[in-house]
Amino acid sequence: MIPFFVQFKCELGQSYAVANAIAEAEIASEIYSTAGDYDLLVKFYVDRTTDIGHFVAEKVQVIPGIKDTHTIITFKAFGPK
C-alpha cells in the first residue's frame, strides 16, 4: 500500500461536513482538522496499482464543500527499528 496525504481547503463552515463525508466514504486512514492555510489533513492508502491522481479526482474532490486540495506524496517513513 502507498500512503499519501491531502490537505483540504473547505468552503466556509463546511469543514466538519467534509470530514464526516470522507469518514462515511471509508476511503481515508486518518482525518485531522488543522489550523492555518488548510482546514483538514487526511491520510490515505492506495494499492500500488492505483493512480493517485485519478483516486483524488474521482473519489476525493467530488465531495461537496471542498474548495481546494493539495496532495502530498510521501517516499519513506522514518521511525524506530
Side-chain angles (χ1 to χ4, degrees):
M1 298 295 277
I2 298 174
F4 67 97
F5 296 84
V6 178
Q7 293 177 296
F8 291 84
K9 286 184 186 177
C10 301
E11 298 292 341
L12 292 177
Q14 295 300 305
S15 59
Y16 282 88
V18 171
N20 287 331
I22 294 168
E24 289 173 10
E26 297 182 352
I27 57 174
S29 170
E30 300 166 43
I31 305 167
Y32 298 96
S33 59
T34 59
D37 291 334
Y38 291 90
D39 302 305
L40 301 171
L41 174 66
V42 182
K43 185 176 186 179
F44 296 93
Y45 284 95
V46 292
D47 188 86
R48 293 197 174 276
T49 61
T50 300
D51 182 296
I52 292 173
H54 281 276
F55 179 89
V56 171
E58 297 167 6
K59 297 195 185 261
V60 177
Q61 292 177 335
V62 297
I63 294 171
I66 296 173
K67 185 175 183 178
D68 192 17
T69 62
H70 178 79
T71 302
I72 302 166
I73 298 173
T74 58
F75 300 108
K76 178 175 174 52
F78 296 92
K81 294 188 181 216

